[in-house]
Amino acid sequence: MDTDSPSSTQPPGEQELRELLAPLLDSRPEDVPRDANLILLGLTSIDMMRLVGRWRRAKLPVVFEELAAAPTLNGWLAHFDGLRA
């Protein structure tokens, strides 16, 4: 998976996040739980930095510390919802 090429300037929605996270978690998109800690599921800090870099290159003001503080699909969706406001 290429996490380094930006695909859009809009914050990702739930399905896109699931599709980005699934290969990093060795999972299927539909199996990524909404409330499970992504780090405990296998997401590494390097994975997170690559995703943040991708989104920043797409001009999204993503805050790594906020994603790390709430490392769940729901937490990340809330962060991205705040970027849409």
Side-chain angles (χ1 to χ4, degrees):
M1 179 176 100
D2 181 8
T3 60
D4 293 326
S5 59
S7 63
S8 111
T9 57
Q10 293 297 314
E14 181 175 351
Q15 187 58 36
E16 184 178 352
L17 267 181
R18 286 177 179 277
E19 290 170 3
L20 288 170
L21 291 168
L24 301 173
L25 302 174
D26 196 27
S27 174
R28 296 180 305 166
E30 61 272 17
D31 292 336
V32 176
R34 290 184 61 99
D35 290 319
N37 185 313
L38 298 170
I39 296 165
L40 295 178
L41 293 177
L43 189 70
T44 68
S45 59
I46 299 295
D47 294 330
M48 289 177 62
M49 287 186 273
R50 285 183 178 141
L51 289 168
V52 167
R54 168 196 174 123
W55 293 321
R56 286 182 178 165
R57 281 190 300 283
K59 307 296 185 217
L60 293 173
V62 178
V63 180
F64 176 86
E65 294 81 5
E66 289 185 23
L67 297 181
T72 65
L73 185 61
N74 280 340
W76 287 21
L77 288 170
H79 179 67
F80 286 117
D81 283 346
L83 299 179
R84 286 185 185 91

